[in-house]
Amino acid sequence: MRKGIVLSYNKDVKYGFIKDLNGQRIRFYNENESILFKPGDLVQFAIGIIKKRPFAVNVIVVCRNQSEVKRDN
């Protein structure tokens, strides 16, 4: 499992972006409506391939709003 920081999340379309600890920007889709992601959340995830592109799958919030973690967009 990889870890990263949520950069953005749109709850209306259920898509967002994570920046992993290697600096890679990865898109994710949230199928679970009971989980709302917020920018700064530390998450754990696996990588899957959807339409020939990497996607974060099985995204789990490890820690909420890590404002002290540097996020370079």
Side-chain angles (χ1 to χ4, degrees):
M1 298 288 286
R2 295 168 81 170
K3 289 186 180 178
I5 302 292
V6 174
L7 294 175
S8 63
Y9 178 68
N10 184 325
K11 67 180 178 179
D12 296 327
V13 294
K14 302 177 186 171
Y15 275 99
F17 286 94
I18 296 169
K19 184 170 185 177
D20 74 1
L21 299 180
N22 296 326
Q24 183 179 12
R25 208 176 131 137
I26 304 165
R27 178 175 251 186
F28 72 98
Y29 177 75
N30 179 23
E31 294 180 0
N32 187 344
E33 293 183 15
S34 65
I35 300 174
L36 291 178
F37 295 95
K38 296 179 183 176
D41 286 351
L42 177 64
V43 293
Q44 188 173 3
F45 58 95
I47 294 293
I49 303 296
I50 301 173
K51 295 183 181 178
K52 299 182 182 181
R53 299 179 124 175
F55 262 74
V57 295
N58 300 327
V59 181
I60 302 167
V61 176
V62 175
C63 189
R64 289 280 180 195
N65 294 320
Q66 293 296 301
S67 59
E68 68 273 9
V69 176
K70 184 179 178 183
R71 291 181 286 137
D72 296 328
N73 295 342

